[in-house]
Amino acid sequence: MSDAYDNTLELNFDVLPGELEKFRLRVREFAQDVVAPRVQDLDAAPADDFDWDMVTQGHSIGLTRVAIPRDYGGLGFGMLGAAVALEEVATVCAGTALIFGAAMLGQAPVLLSGDPRLQARFLPLFSGDAPVLACNAVTEEEAGCDLIIPDNAVHARDVMTARRDGDHYVLNGRKRFITNAQVANFASVFANMEGFPGATGLTSFMVPLDLPGVVRGPVADKLGYRLCLGSELTFENVRIPAENMIGDEGDGMAINIAQSNMARASVAGISTGVARGALALAIDWCDTRVQGGRPLREHQFTAAKLAEMTSKVDAARLLYLRAAHKVDNELPAPQYEPAVAKYFADRVAIDVADLAMSLAGARGYLKSFGLEKRLRDAYGARIYEGTPEVLALAITESLYDEERA
């Protein structure tokens, strides 16, 4: 055996570095002690019901500022910390995880900007005594994927507009399906500069949502992720200072791609959490349910399903940990690893929840068991931050990228 490799070095994929491991355990305690007792009632509540107390308790342990650098009052754990934390919360409730995940996404363009003045103005606001939430306003009625695929930009239709007016920009348009829009203090908003076809002049702005002309629409009544609120944002001649522009005019497409490459690792963490929660229910059920004189887990068909489920959950976690680590250590954030992690984990969430349902039988079909909610939630991540089709394009593009080869 070659001595070129020091096999005494330990690669431990189960314990995170120092303070991050302690943070993960605090988040796990929050998920189990604060979120879990409320989930069933909140999931069944009217679509516009929102638990500010739960969010406040999550804020108190740092879930609204995980990725913000310590210089600006954040925890400084980057995307690795965000992904790990969101897995813990999503193991109990994906919707609660997305409240905090959407807030992080709203912060992402400012983090990516590298502009110390912009960062100093906005990032410390998320570290006060009371929770401050953000949202990321990209999607529109006629424009979704066209705002993230550069070759599609010219074909985008009816995109929200921005017009320069002295030392301000004037925004007009409507955004749809925006998580946290109903409760956020700020939105990172993407609008196309007037005079540019499609979305070829896409530009990003940080917009306080208490400005005149901002209208929050009704909350959508969703299949899953019911604990986070998704709604419309309408902008009617909203004037924002030019200093609120992120980057330069026309940088919006690049910023949107970069923030997606950042966020996909954390969304993969959410999907991994959904799968892990479903797996935990299945493990407990198969240990206590007796058929043919033996616990279900001792039957070959059941054992095969449990083995498949746990293998997929572990693989999904390893993929998102790799992706998040690369996002935190490479500039620009890579496209391939986050896309692969999300592509895989999103499918795993659905597959594992479905297999758990087949093992639980009639019990799994009951709301009180907690599994049918996880199955509903499992489908959500296939929509936001890249559908399987968009992710497949990103992955395949990377496979043929000469620089990657």
Side-chain angles (χ1 to χ4, degrees):
M1 178 181 290
S2 170
D3 61 358
Y5 172 64
D6 182 0
N7 60 10
T8 64
L9 294 174
E10 182 180 5
L11 295 177
N12 192 333
F13 296 103
D14 297 314
V15 179
L16 296 166
E19 291 301 313
L20 182 53
E21 177 65 17
K22 294 177 183 177
F23 177 63
R24 173 165 66 174
L25 295 177
R26 288 198 298 274
V27 176
R28 181 176 297 173
E29 183 178 3
F30 163 76
Q32 296 295 333
D33 295 348
V34 178
V35 180
R38 312 178 189 212
V39 165
Q40 188 172 337
D41 288 343
L42 290 171
D43 182 62
D48 58 356
D49 198 60
F50 191 74
D51 193 334
W52 272 110
D53 177 70
M54 184 174 65
V55 173
T56 299
Q57 293 193 56
H59 169 72
S60 71
I61 64 170
L63 284 172
T64 52
R65 57 189 186 280
V66 177
I68 293 176
R70 294 185 179 184
D71 289 347
Y72 297 112
L75 300 185
F77 287 139
M79 278 300 108
L80 180 61
V84 166
L86 293 180
E87 182 197 337
E88 292 298 332
V89 180
T91 299
V92 173
C93 178
T96 303
L98 190 57
I99 294 172
F100 299 108
M104 296 176 201
L105 188 60
Q107 301 161 0
V110 177
L111 287 168
L112 287 165
S113 72
D115 184 338
R117 290 176 297 179
L118 199 64
Q119 292 173 343
R121 286 177 56 210
F122 286 105
L123 296 181
L125 300 176
F126 297 94
S127 302
D129 293 335
V132 171
L133 296 179
C135 62
N136 192 248
V138 178
T139 303
E140 305 191 10
E141 180 69 29
E142 299 290 340
C145 299
D146 286 347
L147 302 182
I148 199 169
I149 301 175
D151 289 346
N152 287 16
V154 70
H155 303 294
R157 300 171 54 194
D158 300 327
V159 180
M160 177 176 171
T161 62
R163 171 175 56 84
R164 182 76 186 238
D165 183 21
D167 58 357
H168 284 72
Y169 284 89
V170 181
L171 305 182
N172 280 284
R174 184 176 64 156
K175 298 294 183 177
R176 295 207 67 190
F177 311 117
I178 308 303
T179 301
N180 284 354
Q182 193 68 218
V183 292
N185 303 82
F186 300 94
S188 49
V189 178
F190 291 75
N192 193 53
M193 296 301 300
E194 283 190 352
F196 287 81
T200 58
L202 203 64
T203 304
S204 181
F205 304 89
M206 200 65 174
V207 181
L209 293 181
D210 59 356
L211 289 177
V214 177
V215 179
R216 304 177 197 246
V219 174
D221 195 0
K222 307 191 299 296
L223 171 74
Y225 281 79
R226 293 183 59 83
L227 275 71
C228 62
L229 308 188
S231 57
E232 297 180 358
L233 280 175
T234 301
F235 299 82
E236 300 174 351
N237 292 316
V238 176
R239 294 178 61 84
I240 59 169
E243 62 189 15
N244 283 30
M245 181 172 62
I246 303 170
D248 295 321
E249 292 182 7
D251 284 352
M253 180 67 73
I255 292 171
N256 196 20
I257 292 171
Q259 72 175 13
S260 292
N261 290 340
M262 284 178 59
R264 284 169 180 165
S266 61
V267 178
I270 293 177
S271 289
T272 302
V274 172
R276 177 178 140 200
L279 172 63
L281 289 173
I283 290 172
D284 288 346
W285 174 252
C286 293
D287 190 39
T288 57
R289 177 68 166 174
V290 175
Q291 292 289 282
R294 293 181 295 167
L296 287 182
R297 63 182 173 83
E298 295 183 11
H299 293 268
Q300 278 189 326
F301 283 128
T302 299
K305 289 182 179 180
L306 290 173
E308 178 183 349
M309 293 159 71
T310 193
S311 298
K312 287 182 173 179
V313 171
D314 281 357
R317 182 177 300 110
L318 290 171
L319 283 172
Y320 90 64
L321 289 174
R322 178 185 70 160
H325 178 73
K326 281 184 168 287
V327 166
D328 286 338
N329 289 280
E330 293 184 12
L331 284 175
Q335 175 175 257
Y336 178 79
E337 288 83 1
V340 166
K342 185 177 186 298
Y343 184 88
F344 185 77
D346 290 354
R347 186 69 243 179
V348 165
I350 295 170
D351 290 347
V352 171
D354 180 66
L355 285 169
M357 185 70 78
S358 74
L359 291 171
R363 297 295 195 289
Y365 215 61
L366 301 177
K367 287 183 177 294
S368 59
F369 193 74
L371 188 53
E372 61 85 32
K373 175 186 182 300
R374 287 177 169 86
L375 185 60
R376 286 187 282 114
D377 287 343
Y379 284 90
R382 287 169 61 88
I383 299 169
Y384 65 93
E385 290 311 311
T387 63
E389 294 79 13
V390 168
L391 295 173
L393 289 172
I395 292 166
T396 305
E397 180 181 61
S398 295
L399 289 178
Y400 289 93
D401 188 336
E402 291 183 4
E403 292 185 5
R404 176 176 168 75

